[in-house]
Amino acid sequence: MKRIVSLPVLAALVLLGASCSQQVQQPVKKAAPPPVYVGKVEQVYPNHHYVLIALAGNVYEPGTVLISQSPGREEKCRVANLIVTEERMGRARIPADIR
């Protein structure tokens, strides 16, 4: 009789242990990298859907997506997504298409 009683108890403990080991873990949120200052939108050509960016540092590869933000630090409002084009105007300026 002890075997019959201990077998259901053992099965219940195994099921309880298995359910406890499968706790749902919260996904770890990765912190977004801080924005990098690329340069200043110097000229906007709305009829041709592109802008001219005066660079503050690196020259970016064609196809790189840049996010234009408002100049106020408190606002941090996205103005437009820009895509660096293949044309080059030296190292100081690059054109980018308005997406």
Side-chain angles (χ1 to χ4, degrees):
M1 188 71 166
K2 283 187 176 181
R3 274 194 182 164
I4 295 173
V5 172
S6 63
L7 188 58
V9 171
L10 181 62
L13 288 175
V14 169
L15 290 174
L16 179 64
S19 67
C20 289
S21 68
Q22 295 177 355
Q23 293 177 355
V24 177
Q25 294 181 354
Q26 296 290 336
V28 177
K29 292 183 180 179
K30 295 181 181 178
V36 176
Y37 181 71
V38 172
K40 181 179 178 182
V41 174
E42 195 170 71
Q43 187 73 33
V44 179
Y45 300 92
N47 294 339
H48 300 289
H49 303 290
Y50 81 94
V51 298
L52 186 60
I53 301 172
L55 294 173
N58 297 335
V59 176
Y60 293 87
E61 295 293 322
T64 303
V65 177
L66 304 174
I67 298 172
S68 171
Q69 293 185 336
S70 61
R73 288 186 180 206
E74 294 177 10
E75 297 174 19
K76 293 196 179 185
C77 177
R78 180 182 297 208
V79 176
N81 288 348
L82 307 173
I83 302 173
V84 177
T85 63
E86 292 182 17
E87 293 85 16
R88 291 290 176 250
M89 303 178 89
R91 293 190 50 83
R93 290 177 181 78
I94 58 171
D97 291 330
I98 300 171
R99 186 186 276 180

